[in-house]
Amino acid sequence: MADFGVSAGQCVAVVWDKPSPPEALKDLVGKLQASTGSEGHVSVENIHQLLQSAHKESSFDVILAGAIPGSCTLHSAEALAEMARILRPGGRLFLKEPVETAVVKDSKVKTAPKLCSALTLSGLVEVKELHRESLSPEELRSVQEHLGYHSDSLVSVQITGKKPNFEVGSSSQLKLSAAKKSAPTVKPAVDPAAAKLWTLSANDMEDESMDLIDSDELLDPEDLKKPDPASLRAPSCGEGKKRKACKNCTCGLAEELEKENSQAQTSSQPKSACGNCYLGDAFRCASCPYLGMPAFKPGEQVLLSNSNLNDA
């Protein structure tokens, strides 16, 4: 069985379908057993029972599907995925299936490129077509009777695929080399001619051909006058019976009103006759309006209630 790469000691699975001739199946199994020897093993599995089989992952080195002479089998995506699962890493699948030579709408028979894509999607790599030939009379009859498909553009193709050298879900540590020190950044050389174009020297300033403008000559006498603060105010700022600054006032009215308010509060405070009111009750007169209040700093604003002023 050199065509399938079967050697002594290997485990081989033969996937067959109902229309497979019993004599051809028996003959193929006998040849495989002779190639694998006593240390090998050949398992025969019906494609419709494959998904219910108890085969463990990575059980077979080689799987032959649809390879029995005189039979034709269509392999579903589930069957292809199961065969990829039970293959050992590095094992090979040899598949034979009838395909359409042209795209037929709503056809259950694939084209050769779609069959290769299905094998790739099942998890195999290095998928390629090995052989293509016309269907034999027995294979054509098998397609028509057992698959219920009639077409004049069918051919038989043999395709192989390999399982990657790792199992699904396996992991491996990556060996990362130490990061190389990056070379220092080298600034690009500056073209002297280009640098000269953007350089202005003192000698250039003395060139009579250059007409320089004095920046002071750009200002008019009106520009040098200090503006009147009243002219900077907004037209509606401070208007009305009660003067009130605008929100986010920038003309100075807010500061002016705040200053007037503080002056009015200071003038409303009673003046000390002795000048010792701020020291506390021990230094205050009997008629001092600040009696009973804590000491305060000189000049600090202290608010007195109307009762204190009346008592005074």
Side-chain angles (χ1 to χ4, degrees), residues 64-115:
L64 306 181
I68 302 173
S71 67
C72 284
T73 306
L74 299 180
H75 303 85
S76 63
E78 293 78 8
L80 295 177
E82 178 64 15
M83 287 187 281
R85 185 187 70 85
I86 62 179
L87 261 180
R88 290 175 179 171
R92 282 202 167 270
L93 167 67
F94 292 90
L95 179 142
K96 186 178 179 183
E97 183 172 324
V99 296
E100 284 278 5
T101 55
V103 178
V104 179
K105 187 177 180 181
D106 299 331
S107 174
K108 60 181 179 180
V109 178
K110 309 179 188 69
T111 60
K114 286 193 174 183
L115 182 57

mmCIF file of all heavy atoms in Angstrom, residues 64-115:
data_model
loop_
_atom_site.group_PDB
_atom_site.id
_atom_site.type_symbol
_atom_site.label_atom_id
_atom_site.label_comp_id
_atom_site.label_asym_id
_atom_site.label_seq_id
_atom_site.Cartn_x
_atom_site.Cartn_y
_atom_site.Cartn_z
ATOM 1 N N LEU A 64 -8.340 5.997 5.430
ATOM 2 C CA LEU A 64 -8.771 5.896 4.041
ATOM 3 C C LEU A 64 -10.286 6.020 4.020
ATOM 4 O O LEU A 64 -10.998 5.225 4.646
ATOM 5 C CB LEU A 64 -8.339 4.554 3.445
ATOM 6 C CG LEU A 64 -6.845 4.198 3.554
ATOM 7 C CD1 LEU A 64 -6.582 2.840 2.903
ATOM 8 C CD2 LEU A 64 -5.986 5.276 2.927
ATOM 9 N N ALA A 65 -10.797 7.025 3.317
ATOM 10 C CA ALA A 65 -12.237 7.272 3.260
ATOM 11 C C ALA A 65 -12.681 7.249 1.806
ATOM 12 O O ALA A 65 -12.144 7.985 0.968
ATOM 13 C CB ALA A 65 -12.575 8.621 3.904
ATOM 14 N N GLY A 66 -13.661 6.383 1.494
ATOM 15 C CA GLY A 66 -14.174 6.275 0.131
ATOM 16 C C GLY A 66 -13.192 5.655 -0.840
ATOM 17 O O GLY A 66 -13.329 5.835 -2.051
ATOM 18 N N ALA A 67 -12.184 4.962 -0.323
ATOM 19 C CA ALA A 67 -11.130 4.418 -1.189
ATOM 20 C C ALA A 67 -11.422 3.012 -1.693
ATOM 21 O O ALA A 67 -10.596 2.424 -2.413
ATOM 22 C CB ALA A 67 -9.801 4.416 -0.429
ATOM 23 N N ILE A 68 -12.581 2.451 -1.366
ATOM 24 C CA ILE A 68 -12.913 1.090 -1.812
ATOM 25 C C ILE A 68 -13.349 1.131 -3.275
ATOM 26 O O ILE A 68 -14.246 1.908 -3.643
ATOM 27 C CB ILE A 68 -14.031 0.495 -0.936
ATOM 28 C CG1 ILE A 68 -13.583 0.486 0.528
ATOM 29 C CG2 ILE A 68 -14.400 -0.901 -1.394
ATOM 30 C CD1 ILE A 68 -14.667 0.086 1.487
ATOM 31 N N PRO A 69 -12.741 0.345 -4.142
ATOM 32 C CA PRO A 69 -13.107 0.367 -5.566
ATOM 33 C C PRO A 69 -14.576 0.006 -5.769
ATOM 34 O O PRO A 69 -15.120 -0.871 -5.093
ATOM 35 C CB PRO A 69 -12.183 -0.695 -6.185
ATOM 36 C CG PRO A 69 -11.038 -0.809 -5.237
ATOM 37 C CD PRO A 69 -11.603 -0.561 -3.879
ATOM 38 N N GLY A 70 -15.208 0.693 -6.710
ATOM 39 C CA GLY A 70 -16.590 0.414 -7.063
ATOM 40 C C GLY A 70 -17.612 1.112 -6.198
ATOM 41 O O GLY A 70 -18.816 0.844 -6.329
ATOM 42 N N SER A 71 -17.175 1.981 -5.270
ATOM 43 C CA SER A 71 -18.126 2.674 -4.394
ATOM 44 C C SER A 71 -17.885 4.177 -4.463
ATOM 45 O O SER A 71 -16.796 4.637 -4.801
ATOM 46 C CB SER A 71 -17.985 2.189 -2.945
ATOM 47 O OG SER A 71 -16.728 2.582 -2.418
ATOM 48 N N CYS A 72 -18.925 4.939 -4.123
ATOM 49 C CA CYS A 72 -18.831 6.402 -4.078
ATOM 50 C C CYS A 72 -19.501 6.878 -2.793
ATOM 51 O O CYS A 72 -20.616 6.437 -2.466
ATOM 52 C CB CYS A 72 -19.518 7.035 -5.287
ATOM 53 S SG CYS A 72 -18.560 6.891 -6.808
ATOM 54 N N THR A 73 -18.835 7.739 -2.095
ATOM 55 C CA THR A 73 -19.329 8.235 -0.813
ATOM 56 C C THR A 73 -19.167 9.743 -0.751
ATOM 57 O O THR A 73 -18.141 10.284 -1.173
ATOM 58 C CB THR A 73 -18.560 7.598 0.361
ATOM 59 O OG1 THR A 73 -18.623 6.175 0.237
ATOM 60 C CG2 THR A 73 -19.138 8.024 1.685
ATOM 61 N N LEU A 74 -20.217 10.412 -0.226
ATOM 62 C CA LEU A 74 -20.142 11.851 0.032
ATOM 63 C C LEU A 74 -19.857 12.038 1.523
ATOM 64 O O LEU A 74 -20.549 11.470 2.380
ATOM 65 C CB LEU A 74 -21.455 12.547 -0.345
ATOM 66 C CG LEU A 74 -21.870 12.454 -1.827
ATOM 67 C CD1 LEU A 74 -23.183 13.198 -2.053
ATOM 68 C CD2 LEU A 74 -20.779 13.007 -2.731
ATOM 69 N N HIS A 75 -18.853 12.858 1.841
ATOM 70 C CA HIS A 75 -18.424 13.056 3.226
ATOM 71 C C HIS A 75 -18.928 14.402 3.734
ATOM 72 O O HIS A 75 -18.629 15.444 3.138
ATOM 73 C CB HIS A 75 -16.907 12.983 3.329
ATOM 74 C CG HIS A 75 -16.335 11.694 2.808
ATOM 75 N ND1 HIS A 75 -16.047 11.509 1.461
ATOM 76 C CD2 HIS A 75 -16.019 10.535 3.438
ATOM 77 C CE1 HIS A 75 -15.556 10.301 1.286
ATOM 78 N NE2 HIS A 75 -15.528 9.688 2.470
ATOM 79 N N SER A 76 -19.681 14.365 4.814
ATOM 80 C CA SER A 76 -20.200 15.600 5.402
ATOM 81 C C SER A 76 -19.102 16.316 6.190
ATOM 82 O O SER A 76 -18.034 15.754 6.486
ATOM 83 C CB SER A 76 -21.371 15.289 6.336
ATOM 84 O OG SER A 76 -20.939 14.480 7.427
ATOM 85 N N ALA A 77 -19.390 17.569 6.546
ATOM 86 C CA ALA A 77 -18.422 18.348 7.323
ATOM 87 C C ALA A 77 -18.199 17.725 8.695
ATOM 88 O O ALA A 77 -17.075 17.738 9.228
ATOM 89 C CB ALA A 77 -18.918 19.793 7.459
ATOM 90 N N GLU A 78 -19.256 17.152 9.286
ATOM 91 C CA GLU A 78 -19.109 16.508 10.591
ATOM 92 C C GLU A 78 -18.213 15.278 10.507
ATOM 93 O O GLU A 78 -17.377 15.030 11.391
ATOM 94 C CB GLU A 78 -20.483 16.111 11.138
ATOM 95 C CG GLU A 78 -21.395 17.277 11.496
ATOM 96 C CD GLU A 78 -22.048 17.906 10.272
ATOM 97 O OE1 GLU A 78 -21.905 17.324 9.168
ATOM 98 O OE2 GLU A 78 -22.680 18.968 10.411
ATOM 99 N N ALA A 79 -18.365 14.499 9.423
ATOM 100 C CA ALA A 79 -17.537 13.304 9.261
ATOM 101 C C ALA A 79 -16.075 13.686 9.047
ATOM 102 O O ALA A 79 -15.163 13.052 9.592
ATOM 103 C CB ALA A 79 -18.045 12.462 8.093
ATOM 104 N N LEU A 80 -15.828 14.737 8.268
ATOM 105 C CA LEU A 80 -14.454 15.184 8.048
ATOM 106 C C LEU A 80 -13.824 15.671 9.345
ATOM 107 O O LEU A 80 -12.644 15.400 9.617
ATOM 108 C CB LEU A 80 -14.431 16.303 6.994
ATOM 109 C CG LEU A 80 -14.862 15.903 5.568
ATOM 110 C CD1 LEU A 80 -14.868 17.118 4.656
ATOM 111 C CD2 LEU A 80 -13.933 14.824 5.010
ATOM 112 N N ALA A 81 -14.587 16.410 10.160
ATOM 113 C CA ALA A 81 -14.059 16.897 11.434
ATOM 114 C C ALA A 81 -13.751 15.740 12.383
ATOM 115 O O ALA A 81 -12.751 15.765 13.110
ATOM 116 C CB ALA A 81 -15.061 17.859 12.073
ATOM 117 N N GLU A 82 -14.581 14.696 12.371
ATOM 118 C CA GLU A 82 -14.338 13.541 13.236
ATOM 119 C C GLU A 82 -13.094 12.782 12.790
ATOM 120 O O GLU A 82 -12.289 12.330 13.632
ATOM 121 C CB GLU A 82 -15.558 12.622 13.221
ATOM 122 C CG GLU A 82 -15.417 11.356 14.038
ATOM 123 C CD GLU A 82 -15.255 11.611 15.530
ATOM 124 O OE1 GLU A 82 -15.530 12.749 15.978
ATOM 125 O OE2 GLU A 82 -14.839 10.673 16.242
ATOM 126 N N MET A 83 -12.902 12.643 11.473
ATOM 127 C CA MET A 83 -11.704 11.962 10.989
ATOM 128 C C MET A 83 -10.446 12.755 11.323
ATOM 129 O O MET A 83 -9.403 12.180 11.639
ATOM 130 C CB MET A 83 -11.824 11.720 9.476
ATOM 131 C CG MET A 83 -12.816 10.620 9.118
ATOM 132 S SD MET A 83 -12.824 10.189 7.358
ATOM 133 C CE MET A 83 -13.810 11.533 6.685
ATOM 134 N N ALA A 84 -10.542 14.081 11.269
ATOM 135 C CA ALA A 84 -9.394 14.900 11.659
ATOM 136 C C ALA A 84 -9.112 14.763 13.154
ATOM 137 O O ALA A 84 -7.956 14.818 13.589
ATOM 138 C CB ALA A 84 -9.652 16.365 11.301
ATOM 139 N N ARG A 85 -10.142 14.558 13.952
ATOM 140 C CA ARG A 85 -9.962 14.428 15.400
ATOM 141 C C ARG A 85 -9.227 13.137 15.780
ATOM 142 O O ARG A 85 -8.350 13.150 16.657
ATOM 143 C CB ARG A 85 -11.323 14.469 16.102
ATOM 144 C CG ARG A 85 -11.259 14.473 17.628
ATOM 145 C CD ARG A 85 -12.642 14.337 18.240
ATOM 146 N NE ARG A 85 -13.200 13.003 18.028
ATOM 147 C CZ ARG A 85 -12.960 11.958 18.825
ATOM 148 N NH1 ARG A 85 -12.150 12.094 19.867
ATOM 149 N NH2 ARG A 85 -13.507 10.776 18.574
ATOM 150 N N ILE A 86 -9.584 12.037 15.121
ATOM 151 C CA ILE A 86 -8.999 10.748 15.505
ATOM 152 C C ILE A 86 -7.666 10.496 14.809
ATOM 153 O O ILE A 86 -7.016 9.482 15.079
ATOM 154 C CB ILE A 86 -9.980 9.599 15.220
ATOM 155 C CG1 ILE A 86 -10.304 9.513 13.722
ATOM 156 C CG2 ILE A 86 -11.252 9.772 16.034
ATOM 157 C CD1 ILE A 86 -11.251 8.366 13.375
ATOM 158 N N LEU A 87 -7.252 11.400 13.924
ATOM 159 C CA LEU A 87 -5.928 11.288 13.320
ATOM 160 C C LEU A 87 -4.859 11.726 14.319
ATOM 161 O O LEU A 87 -5.064 12.646 15.105
ATOM 162 C CB LEU A 87 -5.831 12.171 12.071
ATOM 163 C CG LEU A 87 -6.013 11.535 10.702
ATOM 164 C CD1 LEU A 87 -5.884 12.598 9.609
ATOM 165 C CD2 LEU A 87 -5.020 10.408 10.454
ATOM 166 N N ARG A 88 -3.708 11.058 14.277
ATOM 167 C CA ARG A 88 -2.586 11.474 15.108
ATOM 168 C C ARG A 88 -1.901 12.691 14.489
ATOM 169 O O ARG A 88 -1.966 12.884 13.267
ATOM 170 C CB ARG A 88 -1.588 10.323 15.246
ATOM 171 C CG ARG A 88 -2.100 9.167 16.096
ATOM 172 C CD ARG A 88 -1.130 8.013 16.111
ATOM 173 N NE ARG A 88 -1.647 6.927 16.946
ATOM 174 C CZ ARG A 88 -1.088 5.723 17.015
ATOM 175 N NH1 ARG A 88 -0.027 5.440 16.271
ATOM 176 N NH2 ARG A 88 -1.612 4.798 17.807
ATOM 177 N N PRO A 89 -1.256 13.514 15.299
ATOM 178 C CA PRO A 89 -0.502 14.635 14.721
ATOM 179 C C PRO A 89 0.512 14.140 13.695
ATOM 180 O O PRO A 89 1.297 13.230 13.955
ATOM 181 C CB PRO A 89 0.189 15.252 15.945
ATOM 182 C CG PRO A 89 -0.710 14.903 17.088
ATOM 183 C CD PRO A 89 -1.252 13.541 16.772
ATOM 184 N N GLY A 90 0.466 14.699 12.513
ATOM 185 C CA GLY A 90 1.324 14.254 11.418
ATOM 186 C C GLY A 90 0.709 13.157 10.576
ATOM 187 O O GLY A 90 1.279 12.773 9.536
ATOM 188 N N GLY A 91 -0.452 12.610 10.993
ATOM 189 C CA GLY A 91 -1.112 11.555 10.227
ATOM 190 C C GLY A 91 -1.781 12.106 8.979
ATOM 191 O O GLY A 91 -2.008 13.312 8.847
ATOM 192 N N ARG A 92 -2.129 11.187 8.059
ATOM 193 C CA ARG A 92 -2.675 11.618 6.769
ATOM 194 C C ARG A 92 -4.045 10.985 6.526
ATOM 195 O O ARG A 92 -4.316 9.857 6.941
ATOM 196 C CB ARG A 92 -1.749 11.251 5.618
ATOM 197 C CG ARG A 92 -0.568 12.198 5.486
ATOM 198 C CD ARG A 92 0.019 12.187 4.094
ATOM 199 N NE ARG A 92 0.940 13.301 3.907
ATOM 200 C CZ ARG A 92 0.574 14.499 3.463
ATOM 201 N NH1 ARG A 92 -0.689 14.716 3.145
ATOM 202 N NH2 ARG A 92 1.458 15.462 3.310
ATOM 203 N N LEU A 93 -4.874 11.773 5.844
ATOM 204 C CA LEU A 93 -6.190 11.321 5.398
ATOM 205 C C LEU A 93 -6.174 11.237 3.881
ATOM 206 O O LEU A 93 -5.786 12.193 3.197
ATOM 207 C CB LEU A 93 -7.277 12.297 5.865
ATOM 208 C CG LEU A 93 -8.656 12.111 5.217
ATOM 209 C CD1 LEU A 93 -9.278 10.786 5.647
ATOM 210 C CD2 LEU A 93 -9.572 13.272 5.571
ATOM 211 N N PHE A 94 -6.590 10.075 3.347
ATOM 212 C CA PHE A 94 -6.734 9.895 1.904
ATOM 213 C C PHE A 94 -8.223 9.717 1.631
ATOM 214 O O PHE A 94 -8.844 8.773 2.136
ATOM 215 C CB PHE A 94 -5.937 8.679 1.415
ATOM 216 C CG PHE A 94 -4.452 8.854 1.510
ATOM 217 C CD1 PHE A 94 -3.778 8.488 2.668
ATOM 218 C CD2 PHE A 94 -3.724 9.402 0.465
ATOM 219 C CE1 PHE A 94 -2.404 8.640 2.768
ATOM 220 C CE2 PHE A 94 -2.355 9.570 0.556
ATOM 221 C CZ PHE A 94 -1.685 9.194 1.707
ATOM 222 N N LEU A 95 -8.765 10.618 0.836
ATOM 223 C CA LEU A 95 -10.211 10.652 0.620
ATOM 224 C C LEU A 95 -10.509 10.602 -0.870
ATOM 225 O O LEU A 95 -9.863 11.290 -1.670
ATOM 226 C CB LEU A 95 -10.793 11.924 1.247
ATOM 227 C CG LEU A 95 -12.298 12.156 1.118
ATOM 228 C CD1 LEU A 95 -12.837 12.775 2.409
ATOM 229 C CD2 LEU A 95 -12.584 13.107 -0.039
ATOM 230 N N LYS A 96 -11.507 9.788 -1.222
ATOM 231 C CA LYS A 96 -11.962 9.681 -2.608
ATOM 232 C C LYS A 96 -13.454 9.984 -2.633
ATOM 233 O O LYS A 96 -14.222 9.425 -1.862
ATOM 234 C CB LYS A 96 -11.694 8.280 -3.157
ATOM 235 C CG LYS A 96 -12.009 8.115 -4.636
ATOM 236 C CD LYS A 96 -11.677 6.704 -5.109
ATOM 237 C CE LYS A 96 -12.004 6.522 -6.593
ATOM 238 N NZ LYS A 96 -11.743 5.137 -7.033
ATOM 239 N N GLU A 97 -13.839 10.885 -3.557
ATOM 240 C CA GLU A 97 -15.234 11.331 -3.571
ATOM 241 C C GLU A 97 -15.581 11.840 -4.974
ATOM 242 O O GLU A 97 -14.734 12.461 -5.643
ATOM 243 C CB GLU A 97 -15.443 12.444 -2.543
ATOM 244 C CG GLU A 97 -16.890 12.932 -2.440
ATOM 245 C CD GLU A 97 -17.075 13.897 -1.281
ATOM 246 O OE1 GLU A 97 -16.442 13.711 -0.226
ATOM 247 O OE2 GLU A 97 -17.880 14.846 -1.436
ATOM 248 N N PRO A 98 -16.822 11.614 -5.438
ATOM 249 C CA PRO A 98 -17.242 12.187 -6.732
ATOM 250 C C PRO A 98 -17.488 13.687 -6.588
ATOM 251 O O PRO A 98 -18.056 14.156 -5.586
ATOM 252 C CB PRO A 98 -18.536 11.427 -7.051
ATOM 253 C CG PRO A 98 -19.065 11.009 -5.721
ATOM 254 C CD PRO A 98 -17.872 10.749 -4.862
ATOM 255 N N VAL A 99 -17.065 14.452 -7.584
ATOM 256 C CA VAL A 99 -17.231 15.905 -7.551
ATOM 257 C C VAL A 99 -17.783 16.376 -8.891
ATOM 258 O O VAL A 99 -17.696 15.678 -9.915
ATOM 259 C CB VAL A 99 -15.890 16.622 -7.253
ATOM 260 C CG1 VAL A 99 -15.375 16.271 -5.877
ATOM 261 C CG2 VAL A 99 -14.855 16.295 -8.325
ATOM 262 N N GLU A 100 -18.334 17.577 -8.874
ATOM 263 C CA GLU A 100 -18.819 18.208 -10.099
ATOM 264 C C GLU A 100 -17.673 18.986 -10.752
ATOM 265 O O GLU A 100 -16.868 19.628 -10.065
ATOM 266 C CB GLU A 100 -19.964 19.179 -9.788
ATOM 267 C CG GLU A 100 -21.289 18.491 -9.494
ATOM 268 C CD GLU A 100 -22.011 18.110 -10.783
ATOM 269 O OE1 GLU A 100 -21.431 18.292 -11.866
ATOM 270 O OE2 GLU A 100 -23.157 17.621 -10.683
ATOM 271 N N THR A 101 -17.612 18.926 -12.068
ATOM 272 C CA THR A 101 -16.600 19.707 -12.784
ATOM 273 C C THR A 101 -17.048 21.136 -13.008
ATOM 274 O O THR A 101 -16.241 21.994 -13.355
ATOM 275 C CB THR A 101 -16.299 19.048 -14.139
ATOM 276 O OG1 THR A 101 -17.532 18.899 -14.879
ATOM 277 C CG2 THR A 101 -15.663 17.676 -13.941
ATOM 278 N N ALA A 102 -18.346 21.405 -12.810
ATOM 279 C CA ALA A 102 -18.878 22.760 -12.941
ATOM 280 C C ALA A 102 -19.787 23.032 -11.749
ATOM 281 O O ALA A 102 -20.329 22.105 -11.132
ATOM 282 C CB ALA A 102 -19.651 22.926 -14.251
ATOM 283 N N VAL A 103 -19.937 24.312 -11.448
ATOM 284 C CA VAL A 103 -20.780 24.700 -10.315
ATOM 285 C C VAL A 103 -22.237 24.489 -10.680
ATOM 286 O O VAL A 103 -22.721 25.008 -11.699
ATOM 287 C CB VAL A 103 -20.530 26.172 -9.931
ATOM 288 C CG1 VAL A 103 -21.440 26.586 -8.776
ATOM 289 C CG2 VAL A 103 -19.066 26.379 -9.565
ATOM 290 N N VAL A 104 -22.937 23.704 -9.865
ATOM 291 C CA VAL A 104 -24.355 23.428 -10.062
ATOM 292 C C VAL A 104 -25.107 23.974 -8.854
ATOM 293 O O VAL A 104 -24.774 23.652 -7.708
ATOM 294 C CB VAL A 104 -24.619 21.920 -10.229
ATOM 295 C CG1 VAL A 104 -26.114 21.664 -10.416
ATOM 296 C CG2 VAL A 104 -23.823 21.374 -11.411
ATOM 297 N N LYS A 105 -26.107 24.801 -9.105
ATOM 298 C CA LYS A 105 -26.858 25.430 -8.016
ATOM 299 C C LYS A 105 -27.631 24.376 -7.234
ATOM 300 O O LYS A 105 -28.241 23.469 -7.805
ATOM 301 C CB LYS A 105 -27.821 26.476 -8.594
ATOM 302 C CG LYS A 105 -28.525 27.298 -7.536
ATOM 303 C CD LYS A 105 -29.394 28.358 -8.174
ATOM 304 C CE LYS A 105 -30.101 29.189 -7.112
ATOM 305 N NZ LYS A 105 -30.981 30.235 -7.710
ATOM 306 N N ASP A 106 -27.574 24.518 -5.886
ATOM 307 C CA ASP A 106 -28.287 23.630 -4.953
ATOM 308 C C ASP A 106 -27.892 22.166 -5.141
ATOM 309 O O ASP A 106 -28.717 21.255 -4.971
ATOM 310 C CB ASP A 106 -29.804 23.778 -5.109
ATOM 311 C CG ASP A 106 -30.283 25.194 -4.808
ATOM 312 O OD1 ASP A 106 -29.623 25.866 -3.994
ATOM 313 O OD2 ASP A 106 -31.299 25.609 -5.401
ATOM 314 N N SER A 107 -26.634 21.926 -5.469
ATOM 315 C CA SER A 107 -26.159 20.552 -5.640
ATOM 316 C C SER A 107 -25.537 20.066 -4.343
ATOM 317 O O SER A 107 -24.800 20.788 -3.678
ATOM 318 C CB SER A 107 -25.125 20.480 -6.774
ATOM 319 O OG SER A 107 -24.563 19.198 -6.855
ATOM 320 N N LYS A 108 -25.861 18.807 -3.987
ATOM 321 C CA LYS A 108 -25.274 18.242 -2.771
ATOM 322 C C LYS A 108 -23.888 17.663 -3.028
ATOM 323 O O LYS A 108 -23.200 17.257 -2.088
ATOM 324 C CB LYS A 108 -26.185 17.164 -2.191
ATOM 325 C CG LYS A 108 -26.449 15.980 -3.115
ATOM 326 C CD LYS A 108 -27.387 14.989 -2.436
ATOM 327 C CE LYS A 108 -27.703 13.802 -3.344
ATOM 328 N NZ LYS A 108 -28.619 12.842 -2.686
ATOM 329 N N VAL A 109 -23.487 17.624 -4.317
ATOM 330 C CA VAL A 109 -22.153 17.166 -4.678
ATOM 331 C C VAL A 109 -21.249 18.396 -4.818
ATOM 332 O O VAL A 109 -21.573 19.349 -5.529
ATOM 333 C CB VAL A 109 -22.183 16.364 -6.001
ATOM 334 C CG1 VAL A 109 -20.776 15.940 -6.388
ATOM 335 C CG2 VAL A 109 -23.078 15.142 -5.850
ATOM 336 N N LYS A 110 -20.115 18.378 -4.145
ATOM 337 C CA LYS A 110 -19.205 19.517 -4.134
ATOM 338 C C LYS A 110 -18.359 19.538 -5.399
ATOM 339 O O LYS A 110 -18.239 18.544 -6.114
ATOM 340 C CB LYS A 110 -18.283 19.469 -2.911
ATOM 341 C CG LYS A 110 -18.971 19.292 -1.580
ATOM 342 C CD LYS A 110 -17.933 19.232 -0.483
ATOM 343 C CE LYS A 110 -18.541 18.867 0.859
ATOM 344 N NZ LYS A 110 -19.018 17.477 0.903
ATOM 345 N N THR A 111 -17.733 20.678 -5.632
ATOM 346 C CA THR A 111 -16.669 20.758 -6.627
ATOM 347 C C THR A 111 -15.355 20.432 -5.929
ATOM 348 O O THR A 111 -15.277 20.409 -4.695
ATOM 349 C CB THR A 111 -16.611 22.163 -7.243
ATOM 350 O OG1 THR A 111 -16.359 23.121 -6.203
ATOM 351 C CG2 THR A 111 -17.913 22.505 -7.940
ATOM 352 N N ALA A 112 -14.310 20.188 -6.702
ATOM 353 C CA ALA A 112 -13.019 19.832 -6.106
ATOM 354 C C ALA A 112 -12.465 20.949 -5.209
ATOM 355 O O ALA A 112 -11.985 20.668 -4.105
ATOM 356 C CB ALA A 112 -12.023 19.469 -7.210
ATOM 357 N N PRO A 113 -12.523 22.218 -5.620
ATOM 358 C CA PRO A 113 -12.034 23.279 -4.710
ATOM 359 C C PRO A 113 -12.818 23.350 -3.406
ATOM 360 O O PRO A 113 -12.247 23.578 -2.338
ATOM 361 C CB PRO A 113 -12.200 24.554 -5.542
ATOM 362 C CG PRO A 113 -12.158 24.105 -6.963
ATOM 363 C CD PRO A 113 -12.830 22.772 -6.959
ATOM 364 N N LYS A 114 -14.145 23.145 -3.473
ATOM 365 C CA LYS A 114 -14.940 23.193 -2.242
ATOM 366 C C LYS A 114 -14.634 22.006 -1.340
ATOM 367 O O LYS A 114 -14.660 22.122 -0.107
ATOM 368 C CB LYS A 114 -16.421 23.235 -2.583
ATOM 369 C CG LYS A 114 -16.880 24.580 -3.119
ATOM 370 C CD LYS A 114 -18.391 24.678 -3.145
ATOM 371 C CE LYS A 114 -18.834 26.076 -3.552
ATOM 372 N NZ LYS A 114 -20.311 26.217 -3.521
ATOM 373 N N LEU A 115 -14.339 20.865 -1.936
ATOM 374 C CA LEU A 115 -13.975 19.706 -1.130
ATOM 375 C C LEU A 115 -12.634 19.950 -0.428
ATOM 376 O O LEU A 115 -12.471 19.600 0.752
ATOM 377 C CB LEU A 115 -13.912 18.460 -2.014
ATOM 378 C CG LEU A 115 -13.577 17.138 -1.311
ATOM 379 C CD1 LEU A 115 -14.574 16.850 -0.192
ATOM 380 C CD2 LEU A 115 -13.549 15.980 -2.317
#
